[in-house]
Amino acid sequence: MSTIHEALRARTNRTPGAIAVACGDHELSYAELDAAADRLAARLLRFERTGPVGVLHRRSVYHVVALLAVLKMGEAYVPIDPRLSPAARAEFLRDAGVRILLSDGAPSDADAALGLPIVDARADEAGGVPVDVGRVPPDALAYLMRTSGSSGRPKVIGISHRNVVDLAADPCFGAEEKLRVLLHSAEAFDASVFELWVTLLNGGQVVLWPEPELDIATLSRLVTGLQLTRIWLTAGVFAAVAAEHPKALRGLREVWTGGDVVPVDAVRRVQAAGPGISVVNGYGPTETTVFATSHAVDDPVGFTSDVPIGRPLLGVRAYVLDDNLWPVPQGQIGELYIGGAGVARGYEGQPAMTAERFVADPFNGEGSRMYRSGDLVRVGADAVLHFAGRADDQVKIRGFRVEPGEVEAALLRFPDVARAAVTVRESGTGQRTLAAYVVPAEGCAPEPAELRARLGAHLPDYLVPETVLPMVSFPVTANGKLDRRALPDPPVPGRARGSGTTPGTRREELFAGLVISVLGIAEAPVDQGFFELGGDSISALRLVARAAGAGWGITLRDVFAWGTISELAKAARPVRPLETTAVPELEPVPLDDDELAMVQSELGSDA
Ligand code: ADP
């Protein structure tokens, strides 16, 4: 058994010249990556500070060098979500006990106040000696990641080298000869561990996508242009790609998806558009190292009502238990407990929470532990696991794990909020959003928009409720508890401000139609924004794809940047229509002479 960097050194010795990571024209071979990480590790070791190292580098080959250098030092890396506000980031850095910060941006005041040394991994210095890779024990922590916690504080999960090396050893990852995997997931989420370390430990090439956003047309170009063989898409993104442009995935050998329920229909569409693609449903909480089980759907006829989450990966043990920890009979629903390979050490610095979730494994000998997932599952007649929902009120919002209790706790920390309740609303199109209800403290009248802004200073955007409704008091049940079901419907976003402005131009009309079709709403006043009307990052992907299908180019960044539908329509540029599958029937918008010239030159340069 070895550490991640030791296993990687073994790979490097076998194929030193093979490309390990590529970002645009910048490529590093396995040997170059190893040497660059040695140099950076030598620089970092000069600080003589022991403890985790925060990483806040934009995605480039230096990012990978940074992560590997931290591992070689024998420390855990702590990827920081750039979406966190400076205050939340500082809180996380403190909670995780970070001692050094690797960053390529200007430090915020909150970062500076922590007094940490800040190092830019891009300043590659000559010198440095190969690090003694045998120095670090396999049970040392490799990374720390945070996830939503109902107590109101995020949980910090510590994953060891052994956990990652065990994951990568599953034979399903190494079967491909020429493995090329896109690294596009945010580093703060463990899908990036799959994209990065599982690929490198299996001798493949990691291709980095440097931007935070990836639209479906670009994804399609990357898949063919870079000859990718495997990709990970969170279930929501996978479903959006399947609905809008399933051909985007043609050419891939494997598409891994999961993180949330994978719709059967989406798998069918992807396989119909790209015969031979193996769609793999990967299931697993961060606490059990990316994936605990998987199910490859090679034959679309083999399933009907749901896509199974499959069988445990190599060395993983999956138990379906009742409340007394007795195994439930086949076909019945129980809670999934996960033991064996991949189970984390626990929540760092949070022993009570660890004891609650990481319990003794009575089926696997002295000292072993299993993780109580909170997921309900059953073993089907096909002898594989099927997901059957949650045992608590944790939900996934756009692929992010959310405990509504964390948001309630954050609201209750405000002195002008006496009571708070947060519920999850699901729209007709399956989009989940949070709705908050608050009873103000005596004599206070906090404004909903202002409360949302205050929450945004502490929480990542996916934890900020879309609506906040102040109430005089909460409805209660017969025994005096909050009656969640009796809470009123949350206000419809955007409606309050809606002036009902109708489209003035044909292009505005087209964009209003696209927004209506993507969000499944009745009307879209053009003086309102896509997000005000209930859009999110996944429906934004669909909007961009549908606009491209109608011959209008907008970027995801445009959707985020422009305040209203009218401005978005103005920013759109004519493009050759993307061959999407779900363009609503809308009249084409005539082009003016300049626009016609643009399309012609685009078509010309493509020929
Ligand atoms: P991930 O990175 O896999 O999303 P998280 O720790 O954020 O991991 O979330 C784990 C939870 O997400 C699981 O406990 C389960 O509720 C849900 N989940 C993960 N994968 C799947 C899947 N393939 N099908 C259904 N639910 C899933």
Side-chain angles (χ1 to χ4, degrees):
M1 178 39 76
S2 66
T3 54
I4 297 174
H5 50 278
E6 222 171 331
L8 194 59
R9 177 77 56 86
R11 278 276 163 199
T12 305
N13 291 341
R14 265 156 60 192
T15 53
I19 301 301
V21 283
C23 186
D25 292 337
H26 197 173
E27 293 180 339
L28 289 184
S29 67
Y30 272 75
E32 287 165 338
L33 170 63
D34 194 55
D38 278 340
R39 291 194 292 276
L40 179 58
R43 268 171 74 200
L44 295 174
L45 284 167
R46 278 187 231 143
F47 289 102
E48 294 185 349
R49 289 197 174 206
T50 50
V53 177
V55 182
L56 188 59
H57 255 263
R58 263 160 300 183
R59 212 173 290 131
S60 72
V61 297
Y62 299 107
H63 189 100
V64 180
V65 171
L67 302 184
L68 183 57
V70 176
L71 296 180
K72 284 176 177 250
M73 289 167 70
E75 301 296 354
Y77 67 80
V78 184
I80 313 289
D81 185 348
R83 273 173 301 215
L84 289 181
S85 66
R89 176 158 97 205
E91 197 176 284
F92 179 39
L93 291 172
R94 216 176 296 120
D95 280 356
V98 164
R99 296 279 174 267
I100 302 176
L101 182 61
L102 280 163
S103 172
D104 57 1
S108 71
D109 291 346
D111 295 335
L114 292 172
L116 301 174
I118 300 179
V119 179
D120 189 335
R122 291 172 305 177
D124 195 357
E125 284 173 16
V129 283
V131 172
D132 171 9
V133 290
R135 200 174 64 88
V136 182
D139 285 317
L141 287 183
Y143 61 82
L144 297 173
M145 280 183 188
R146 98 207 259 284
T147 188
S148 181
S150 56
S151 69
R153 283 197 88 75
K155 298 184 241 186
V156 181
I157 302 164
I159 297 292
S160 70
H161 284 254
R162 185 190 298 276
N163 291 149
V164 176
V165 173
D166 280 348
L167 171 73
D170 189 289
C172 74
F173 297 125
E176 282 181 36
E177 273 276 302
K178 279 208 165 71
L179 181 62
R180 248 174 210 253
V181 183
L182 190 69
L183 171 53
H184 67 106
S185 297
E187 276 76 10
F189 296 94
D190 67 355
S192 64
V193 170
F194 166 68
E195 293 167 337
L196 177 62
W197 300 123
V198 170
T199 304
L200 291 181
L201 295 188
N202 282 288
Q205 186 185 132
V206 176
V207 181
L208 277 78
W209 173 246
E211 305 295 329
E213 293 104 17
L214 177 58
D215 64 61
I216 298 175
T218 310
L219 172 69
S220 172
R221 272 200 298 277
L222 294 181
V223 166
T224 8
L226 302 172
Q227 295 171 343
L228 300 175
T229 62
R230 179 186 290 162
I231 194 170
W232 158 264
L233 297 175
T234 308
V237 175
F238 176 75
V241 175
E244 303 297 331
H245 188 40
K247 285 186 186 163
L249 302 176
R250 260 193 201 172
L252 288 163
R253 265 176 276 167
E254 278 176 22
V255 178
W256 281 70
T257 180
D260 201 345
V261 174
V262 175
V264 175
D265 181 54
V267 179
R268 289 213 181 99
R269 288 176 70 92
V270 165
Q271 290 191 321
I277 296 181
S278 175
V279 176
V280 190
N281 186 6
Y283 158 88
T286 307
E287 286 86 339
T288 61
T289 319
V290 194
F291 300 127
T293 71
S294 72
H295 184 85
V297 187
D298 295 315
D299 168 11
V301 185
F303 59 91
T304 47
S305 59
D306 70 334
V307 188
I309 56 170
R311 293 200 168 81
L313 297 189
L314 186 72
V316 176
R317 301 163 66 100
Y319 312 111
V320 189
L321 308 179
D322 66 15
D323 290 345
N324 298 316
L325 299 189
W326 285 97
V328 303
Q330 193 198 42
Q332 283 188 20
I333 291 178
E335 188 170 342
L336 179 62
Y337 286 74
I338 300 158
V343 178
R345 192 161 87 170
Y347 301 117
E348 293 308 299
Q350 295 159 311
M353 234 184 281
T354 301
E356 196 185 305
R357 285 313 221 181
F358 294 84
V359 297
D361 177 351
F363 311 99
N364 194 23
E366 197 74 0
S368 46
R369 287 163 322 122
M370 55 184 186
Y371 172 67
R372 177 175 191 181
S373 71
D375 289 319
L376 300 176
V377 297
R378 69 182 165 81
V379 178
D382 46 8
V384 296
L385 290 165
H386 293 256
F387 184 76
R390 287 287 304 173
D392 56 16
D393 53 6
Q394 177 182 302
V395 281
K396 280 301 183 78
I397 292 188
R398 298 176 346 242
F400 300 113
R401 181 160 141 186
V402 169
E403 300 250 21
E406 180 175 355
V407 188
E408 288 171 1
L411 280 164
L412 287 172
R413 278 201 285 268
F414 299 143
D416 48 356
V417 174
R419 298 194 68 191
V422 173
T423 61
V424 179
R425 185 166 57 143
E426 193 156 336
S427 75
T429 50
Q431 194 178 313
R432 282 176 225 138
T433 48
L434 294 177
Y437 300 83
V438 294
V439 176
E442 193 78 35
C444 301
E447 274 291 313
E450 191 269 327
L451 274 178
R452 290 185 70 240
R454 259 194 272 160
L455 281 176
H458 297 274
L459 300 175
D461 56 2
Y462 54 87
L463 285 178
V464 178
E466 195 184 37
T467 57
V468 177
L469 185 66
M471 294 177 72
V472 178
S473 63
F474 279 163
V476 286
T477 58
N479 51 15
K481 283 194 173 163
L482 167 67
D483 186 355
R484 286 181 185 269
R485 269 182 298 177
L487 286 166
D489 283 341
V492 176
R495 282 282 160 77
R497 236 199 53 181
S499 63
T501 306
T502 48
T505 65
R506 297 278 293 275
R507 205 194 296 176
E508 282 183 354
E509 191 182 338
L510 178 113
F511 271 84
L514 292 172
V515 171
I516 287 171
S517 74
V518 164
L519 298 182
I521 52 179
E523 50 177 326
V526 295
D527 65 344
Q528 291 224 347
F530 180 67
F531 296 99
E532 280 176 295
L533 291 165
D536 63 15
S537 58
I538 293 187
S539 44
L541 267 181
R542 304 183 70 154
L543 179 69
V544 171
R546 285 190 189 194
W552 290 95
I554 47 168
T555 62
L556 282 168
R557 211 169 279 173
D558 289 333
V559 184
F560 287 100
W562 296 107
T564 66
I565 295 175
S566 164
E567 287 167 342
L568 189 60
K570 243 180 250 137
R573 291 286 157 260
V575 289
R576 182 158 76 157
L578 179 72
E579 200 191 320
T580 51
T581 47
V583 186
E585 284 185 22
L586 292 165
E587 263 188 65
V589 180
L591 304 180
D592 64 28
D593 288 349
D594 286 350
E595 291 171 343
L596 201 60
M598 274 178 75
V599 183
Q600 276 162 349
S601 74
E602 196 208 353
L603 293 181
S605 64
D606 233 50

